[in-house]
Amino acid sequence: MAGPSMAEAVWTQEDTMADPDEAPQHDETNDATSAGAQSPAAAPLAVAARQARTWTGVYTAVVAASAALLVAYLFGVVPLTPDTLLTIYAAIGVGAVMGWMRLAAWMGQVRTALAARGAQVPPPWQIWLSWLIPVYAWFGPFQAMRLLTAGVEGIAPVRSRWWGSFIIAGFLWFQVYLLGGAALAMIGFAGSAVSLFFSSRALRELIARTTESVAGPA
């Protein structure tokens, strides 16, 4: 039987040679898809983290602006009508509710991701309702956060700064109503705003580091 002709051999050799223009390319899109598939909770967790950080900042800004106005009012620099004062308190209330809802939503996303891995997590009611239960609200949310951030290296000091400053801010704010008096009111308003600022900074770091630990960079 005759072997292949010279032309056929040359054609076969050229056909089997790799064409540089047709060489397999590295598909970064597929890599990204695969990475996302490895962590299905990453996207919603990142969104929840951004919302929590945003509303934490909004609430802090509202309290700081309100504290400045109230201190100026007590010094007689800015006249405020009762309706204006009610508006200020309403703005603070709305900021507090939105901040609580967004933070609790992020904590819920972290809980879902950790529960899927079999980690110990707080019950859902502790994440949402512990903020509203008298007396328990002073330590319940912190206990929930401690469980959710237990796997984040070196997070304990940040967590303590967040909650410690938050408790101080709340105490200073409420003492205005409990004790009264212009001097105490100014101390309460100003101190609450400063404490909440430090609490907000610690919380932003806590959210960012925990989100990255649980589901990758936010």
Side-chain angles (χ1 to χ4, degrees):
M1 181 180 232
S5 66
M6 180 66 67
E8 291 174 337
V10 171
W11 179 85
T12 302
Q13 183 178 7
E14 291 178 347
D15 186 61
T16 56
M17 289 178 63
D19 189 338
D21 294 333
E22 296 179 1
Q25 300 295 319
H26 184 68
D27 193 342
E28 296 181 355
T29 302
N30 288 341
D31 285 354
T33 303
S34 299
Q38 294 173 358
S39 181
L45 181 56
V47 171
R50 285 194 295 271
Q51 292 176 345
R53 291 195 300 265
T54 297
W55 279 103
T56 295
V58 168
Y59 175 53
T60 302
V62 169
V63 171
S66 301
L69 283 174
L70 292 171
V71 170
Y73 165 71
L74 291 174
F75 271 112
V77 177
V78 177
L80 297 178
T81 65
D83 289 342
T84 304
L85 289 173
L86 287 176
T87 300
I88 291 175
Y89 294 138
I92 294 173
V94 171
V97 170
M98 290 302 300
W100 158 64
M101 291 181 63
R102 292 299 90 204
L103 178 58
W106 171 78
M107 292 173 70
Q109 290 287 350
V110 174
R111 180 189 182 277
T112 299
L114 294 178
R117 304 176 187 178
Q120 182 182 6
V121 294
W125 70 264
Q126 189 176 18
I127 290 176
W128 287 95
L129 300 181
S130 60
W131 300 84
L132 308 177
I133 302 174
V135 181
Y136 185 66
W138 292 96
F139 58 89
F142 178 77
Q143 290 179 333
M145 186 68 81
R146 185 169 56 186
L147 281 176
L148 295 176
T149 59
V152 184
E153 183 177 357
I155 202 66
V158 180
R159 191 172 56 216
S160 297
R161 287 200 307 271
W162 160 62
W163 194 247
S165 299
F166 181 76
I167 291 298
I168 292 173
F171 173 79
L172 291 174
W173 187 263
F174 282 113
Q175 65 86 24
V176 173
Y177 301 97
L178 295 176
L179 301 178
L184 287 175
M186 284 187 289
I187 294 174
F189 292 143
S192 177
V194 172
S195 298
L196 192 60
F197 170 76
F198 285 107
S199 176
S200 174
R201 290 191 61 182
L203 180 59
R204 290 173 67 85
E205 181 181 352
L206 188 151
I207 290 172
R209 290 180 58 184
T210 303
T211 300
E212 184 174 355
S213 174
V214 172

